[in-house]
Short mmCIF file of all heavy atoms in Angstrom, two decimals:
data_model
loop_
_atom_site.label_atom_id
_atom_site.label_comp_id
_atom_site.label_asym_id
_atom_site.label_seq_id
_atom_site.Cartn_x
_atom_site.Cartn_y
_atom_site.Cartn_z
N ALA R 4 0.83 -1.20 0.01
CA ALA R 4 0.01 0.01 0.02
C ALA R 4 0.86 1.26 -0.02
O ALA R 4 0.55 2.23 -0.67
CB ALA R 4 -0.94 0.00 1.22
N MET R 5 1.97 1.24 0.75
CA MET R 5 2.86 2.39 0.79
C MET R 5 3.51 2.59 -0.59
O MET R 5 3.58 3.76 -1.05
CB MET R 5 3.95 2.15 1.87
CG MET R 5 3.37 2.19 3.29
SD MET R 5 4.42 1.45 4.53
CE MET R 5 5.99 2.20 4.31
N ARG R 6 3.95 1.52 -1.21
CA ARG R 6 4.56 1.62 -2.53
C ARG R 6 3.56 2.18 -3.53
O ARG R 6 3.87 3.13 -4.29
CB ARG R 6 4.99 0.22 -2.97
CG ARG R 6 5.45 0.16 -4.40
CD ARG R 6 5.56 -1.24 -4.90
NE ARG R 6 5.60 -1.22 -6.34
CZ ARG R 6 6.12 -2.21 -7.06
NH1 ARG R 6 6.66 -3.24 -6.50
NH2 ARG R 6 6.11 -2.11 -8.38
N ASP R 7 2.37 1.64 -3.54
CA ASP R 7 1.33 2.11 -4.47
C ASP R 7 0.94 3.58 -4.26
O ASP R 7 0.75 4.32 -5.20
CB ASP R 7 0.09 1.21 -4.39
CG ASP R 7 0.33 -0.19 -4.89
OD1 ASP R 7 1.38 -0.44 -5.62
OD2 ASP R 7 -0.52 -1.08 -4.60
N ALA R 8 0.88 3.95 -2.98
CA ALA R 8 0.48 5.37 -2.69
C ALA R 8 1.53 6.34 -3.12
O ALA R 8 1.19 7.37 -3.73
CB ALA R 8 0.28 5.48 -1.15
N VAL R 9 2.81 6.05 -2.90
CA VAL R 9 3.87 6.91 -3.35
C VAL R 9 3.84 7.03 -4.86
O VAL R 9 3.89 8.14 -5.44
CB VAL R 9 5.28 6.42 -2.85
CG1 VAL R 9 6.40 7.19 -3.56
CG2 VAL R 9 5.35 6.54 -1.35
N ASP R 10 3.75 5.90 -5.53
CA ASP R 10 3.76 5.89 -6.99
C ASP R 10 2.58 6.66 -7.54
O ASP R 10 2.72 7.47 -8.48
CB ASP R 10 3.76 4.46 -7.53
CG ASP R 10 4.28 4.41 -8.97
OD1 ASP R 10 5.26 5.05 -9.30
OD2 ASP R 10 3.62 3.67 -9.74
N GLU R 11 1.39 6.47 -6.98
CA GLU R 11 0.17 7.14 -7.49
C GLU R 11 0.28 8.65 -7.27
O GLU R 11 -0.04 9.42 -8.19
CB GLU R 11 -1.03 6.60 -6.74
CG GLU R 11 -2.33 7.21 -7.20
CD GLU R 11 -3.55 6.65 -6.51
OE1 GLU R 11 -3.53 5.47 -6.11
OE2 GLU R 11 -4.54 7.40 -6.39
N GLU R 12 0.68 9.11 -6.08
CA GLU R 12 0.76 10.53 -5.82
C GLU R 12 1.79 11.23 -6.66
O GLU R 12 1.57 12.36 -7.14
CB GLU R 12 0.99 10.80 -4.33
CG GLU R 12 -0.24 10.38 -3.48
CD GLU R 12 -1.53 11.00 -3.86
OE1 GLU R 12 -1.58 12.22 -4.15
OE2 GLU R 12 -2.56 10.27 -3.94
N LEU R 13 2.94 10.61 -6.84
CA LEU R 13 3.98 11.24 -7.68
C LEU R 13 3.57 11.23 -9.16
O LEU R 13 3.84 12.18 -9.88
CB LEU R 13 5.34 10.54 -7.49
CG LEU R 13 6.01 10.94 -6.16
CD1 LEU R 13 7.24 10.03 -5.93
CD2 LEU R 13 6.43 12.41 -6.17
N PHE R 14 2.88 10.18 -9.58
CA PHE R 14 2.37 10.15 -10.94
C PHE R 14 1.38 11.28 -11.17
O PHE R 14 1.43 11.94 -12.22
CB PHE R 14 1.71 8.79 -11.23
CG PHE R 14 1.23 8.64 -12.63
CD1 PHE R 14 2.14 8.33 -13.66
CD2 PHE R 14 -0.13 8.86 -12.93
CE1 PHE R 14 1.67 8.20 -14.96
CE2 PHE R 14 -0.57 8.72 -14.24
CZ PHE R 14 0.31 8.41 -15.28
N LYS R 15 0.51 11.52 -10.20
CA LYS R 15 -0.44 12.64 -10.30
C LYS R 15 0.31 14.00 -10.42
O LYS R 15 -0.23 14.92 -11.04
CB LYS R 15 -1.34 12.71 -9.07
CG LYS R 15 -2.42 11.65 -9.01
CD LYS R 15 -3.20 11.83 -7.73
CE LYS R 15 -4.20 10.69 -7.50
NZ LYS R 15 -4.88 10.84 -6.20
N ALA R 16 1.46 14.06 -9.86
CA ALA R 16 2.27 15.29 -9.88
C ALA R 16 3.10 15.36 -11.14
O ALA R 16 3.94 16.28 -11.32
CB ALA R 16 3.15 15.39 -8.63
N GLY R 17 2.97 14.35 -12.00
CA GLY R 17 3.73 14.35 -13.27
C GLY R 17 5.07 13.64 -13.22
O GLY R 17 5.90 13.85 -14.14
N VAL R 18 5.33 12.89 -12.18
CA VAL R 18 6.62 12.22 -12.00
C VAL R 18 6.45 10.73 -12.17
O VAL R 18 5.60 10.12 -11.52
CB VAL R 18 7.24 12.51 -10.63
CG1 VAL R 18 8.57 11.86 -10.47
CG2 VAL R 18 7.33 13.99 -10.39
N GLN R 19 7.24 10.15 -13.08
CA GLN R 19 7.13 8.69 -13.24
C GLN R 19 8.35 8.02 -12.66
O GLN R 19 9.45 8.55 -12.76
CB GLN R 19 7.04 8.39 -14.75
CG GLN R 19 5.68 8.80 -15.34
CD GLN R 19 5.44 8.25 -16.71
OE1 GLN R 19 6.28 7.58 -17.27
NE2 GLN R 19 4.29 8.54 -17.26
N VAL R 20 8.11 6.85 -12.13
CA VAL R 20 9.21 6.09 -11.56
C VAL R 20 10.16 5.65 -12.70
O VAL R 20 9.69 5.28 -13.77
CB VAL R 20 8.65 4.87 -10.72
CG1 VAL R 20 8.02 3.83 -11.60
CG2 VAL R 20 9.77 4.24 -9.89
N LYS R 21 11.47 5.72 -12.42
CA LYS R 21 12.46 5.36 -13.39
C LYS R 21 12.77 3.85 -13.29
O LYS R 21 12.98 3.16 -14.27
CB LYS R 21 13.74 6.17 -13.26
CG LYS R 21 13.49 7.64 -13.56
CD LYS R 21 14.74 8.45 -13.52
CE LYS R 21 14.57 9.91 -13.75
NZ LYS R 21 13.49 10.38 -14.56
N GLN R 22 12.80 3.37 -12.05
CA GLN R 22 13.07 1.96 -11.81
C GLN R 22 12.55 1.57 -10.44
O GLN R 22 12.58 2.33 -9.50
CB GLN R 22 14.60 1.72 -11.87
CG GLN R 22 14.95 0.28 -11.76
CD GLN R 22 16.41 -0.01 -12.09
OE1 GLN R 22 17.08 0.88 -12.61
NE2 GLN R 22 16.89 -1.17 -11.77
N VAL R 23 12.09 0.31 -10.39
CA VAL R 23 11.65 -0.26 -9.09
C VAL R 23 12.37 -1.55 -8.89
O VAL R 23 12.50 -2.39 -9.78
CB VAL R 23 10.11 -0.57 -9.12
CG1 VAL R 23 9.68 -1.25 -7.82
CG2 VAL R 23 9.34 0.73 -9.33
N GLU R 24 12.94 -1.70 -7.71
CA GLU R 24 13.58 -2.97 -7.31
C GLU R 24 12.75 -3.59 -6.22
O GLU R 24 12.37 -2.90 -5.27
CB GLU R 24 15.00 -2.72 -6.77
CG GLU R 24 15.99 -2.13 -7.79
CD GLU R 24 16.31 -3.15 -8.91
OE1 GLU R 24 16.28 -4.38 -8.64
OE2 GLU R 24 16.57 -2.71 -10.05
N GLY R 25 12.46 -4.85 -6.37
CA GLY R 25 11.57 -5.52 -5.45
C GLY R 25 10.21 -5.64 -6.07
O GLY R 25 9.82 -4.85 -6.90
N ASN R 26 9.47 -6.69 -5.65
CA ASN R 26 8.12 -6.88 -6.18
C ASN R 26 7.13 -6.90 -5.01
O ASN R 26 7.46 -6.58 -3.90
CB ASN R 26 8.10 -8.20 -7.03
CG ASN R 26 8.51 -9.42 -6.17
OD1 ASN R 26 8.20 -9.49 -4.99
ND2 ASN R 26 9.20 -10.34 -6.78
N ARG R 27 5.90 -7.29 -5.34
CA ARG R 27 4.86 -7.24 -4.33
C ARG R 27 5.07 -8.19 -3.19
O ARG R 27 4.44 -8.08 -2.15
CB ARG R 27 3.53 -7.57 -5.02
CG ARG R 27 3.20 -6.52 -6.07
CD ARG R 27 1.73 -6.18 -6.04
NE ARG R 27 1.43 -5.12 -7.00
CZ ARG R 27 1.32 -3.85 -6.68
NH1 ARG R 27 1.53 -3.44 -5.49
NH2 ARG R 27 1.04 -2.96 -7.58
N ASN R 28 5.99 -9.14 -3.32
CA ASN R 28 6.30 -10.08 -2.23
C ASN R 28 7.58 -9.70 -1.52
O ASN R 28 8.02 -10.44 -0.60
CB ASN R 28 6.40 -11.51 -2.77
CG ASN R 28 5.10 -11.94 -3.36
OD1 ASN R 28 4.04 -11.67 -2.81
ND2 ASN R 28 5.18 -12.61 -4.49
N SER R 29 8.22 -8.61 -1.90
CA SER R 29 9.48 -8.22 -1.29
C SER R 29 9.34 -7.55 0.06
O SER R 29 8.34 -6.85 0.27
CB SER R 29 10.27 -7.30 -2.24
OG SER R 29 10.56 -7.95 -3.42
N SER R 30 10.34 -7.69 0.90
CA SER R 30 10.33 -6.99 2.18
C SER R 30 11.17 -5.70 2.12
O SER R 30 11.32 -5.04 3.12
CB SER R 30 10.83 -7.94 3.28
OG SER R 30 12.10 -8.40 2.96
N TRP R 31 11.67 -5.38 0.93
CA TRP R 31 12.35 -4.12 0.69
C TRP R 31 12.05 -3.72 -0.71
O TRP R 31 12.35 -4.45 -1.67
CB TRP R 31 13.87 -4.25 0.93
CG TRP R 31 14.69 -3.03 0.59
CD1 TRP R 31 14.22 -1.76 0.33
CD2 TRP R 31 16.10 -2.91 0.60
NE1 TRP R 31 15.29 -0.91 0.11
CE2 TRP R 31 16.44 -1.60 0.27
CE3 TRP R 31 17.11 -3.84 0.80
CZ2 TRP R 31 17.75 -1.17 0.18
CZ3 TRP R 31 18.41 -3.40 0.73
CH2 TRP R 31 18.72 -2.08 0.43
N VAL R 32 11.46 -2.58 -0.90
CA VAL R 32 11.14 -2.05 -2.23
C VAL R 32 11.88 -0.73 -2.37
O VAL R 32 11.81 0.14 -1.49
CB VAL R 32 9.62 -1.85 -2.44
CG1 VAL R 32 9.35 -1.23 -3.77
CG2 VAL R 32 8.89 -3.16 -2.28
N LEU R 33 12.62 -0.58 -3.48
CA LEU R 33 13.29 0.67 -3.78
C LEU R 33 12.60 1.25 -5.00
O LEU R 33 12.47 0.58 -6.03
CB LEU R 33 14.77 0.38 -4.10
CG LEU R 33 15.66 1.56 -4.49
CD1 LEU R 33 17.07 1.31 -4.02
CD2 LEU R 33 15.62 1.85 -5.96
N MET R 34 12.24 2.52 -4.91
CA MET R 34 11.62 3.23 -6.03
C MET R 34 12.49 4.43 -6.37
O MET R 34 12.68 5.33 -5.55
CB MET R 34 10.19 3.69 -5.63
CG MET R 34 9.26 2.52 -5.36
SD MET R 34 7.67 3.08 -4.71
CE MET R 34 8.10 3.44 -3.02
N ASP R 35 13.01 4.42 -7.57
CA ASP R 35 13.94 5.48 -8.03
C ASP R 35 13.17 6.45 -8.91
O ASP R 35 12.69 6.07 -10.02
CB ASP R 35 15.08 4.82 -8.79
CG ASP R 35 16.10 5.83 -9.28
OD1 ASP R 35 15.88 7.05 -9.16
OD2 ASP R 35 17.15 5.39 -9.85
N TYR R 36 13.04 7.66 -8.46
CA TYR R 36 12.36 8.72 -9.23
C TYR R 36 13.36 9.74 -9.74
O TYR R 36 12.99 10.86 -10.08
CB TYR R 36 11.31 9.40 -8.34
CG TYR R 36 10.12 8.55 -8.04
CD1 TYR R 36 10.13 7.75 -6.88
CD2 TYR R 36 9.06 8.41 -8.92
CE1 TYR R 36 9.05 6.93 -6.58
CE2 TYR R 36 8.01 7.59 -8.63
CZ TYR R 36 8.01 6.84 -7.49
OH TYR R 36 6.95 6.01 -7.20
N GLY R 37 14.64 9.38 -9.80
CA GLY R 37 15.67 10.30 -10.26
C GLY R 37 16.22 11.17 -9.19
O GLY R 37 17.28 10.87 -8.64
N ASP R 38 15.44 12.15 -8.82
CA ASP R 38 15.94 13.11 -7.78
C ASP R 38 15.68 12.62 -6.36
O ASP R 38 16.26 13.13 -5.41
CB ASP R 38 15.27 14.49 -7.96
CG ASP R 38 15.76 15.18 -9.24
OD1 ASP R 38 16.87 14.85 -9.72
OD2 ASP R 38 15.02 16.03 -9.74
N ILE R 39 14.77 11.68 -6.19
CA ILE R 39 14.51 11.07 -4.90
C ILE R 39 14.52 9.55 -5.07
O ILE R 39 14.15 9.01 -6.13
CB ILE R 39 13.21 11.54 -4.21
CG1 ILE R 39 12.00 11.03 -4.93
CG2 ILE R 39 13.22 13.05 -4.05
CD1 ILE R 39 10.71 11.18 -4.15
N ILE R 40 14.93 8.89 -4.02
CA ILE R 40 14.85 7.40 -3.95
C ILE R 40 14.11 7.05 -2.71
O ILE R 40 14.49 7.48 -1.60
CB ILE R 40 16.27 6.77 -4.01
CG1 ILE R 40 16.95 7.13 -5.32
CG2 ILE R 40 16.15 5.25 -3.85
CD1 ILE R 40 18.37 6.65 -5.45
#
C-alpha cells in the first residue's frame, strides 16, 4: 500500500518512476524517481 500510494501521488504530480527494485512479495522495495529514492 505504501509503494502504491507513493507511486500514485507522484504520478499525479507528473513524475514517473524510473526503476523499481523488489516486487509485491519483497520486504524491501526501492523506487527510483531520479531526484529522490
Side-chain angles (χ1 to χ4, degrees):
M5 291 161 54
R6 171 194 164 156
D7 291 345
V9 169
D10 200 44
E11 181 178 332
E12 293 305 315
L13 284 171
F14 183 80
K15 286 179 187 175
V18 181
Q19 291 192 358
V20 68
K21 295 184 182 333
Q22 185 168 348
V23 176
E24 295 292 330
N26 58 37
R27 298 221 177 261
N28 298 318
S29 297
S30 55
W31 177 7
V32 177
L33 179 150
M34 296 173 283
D35 181 353
Y36 291 93
D38 292 337
I39 69 167
I40 298 175

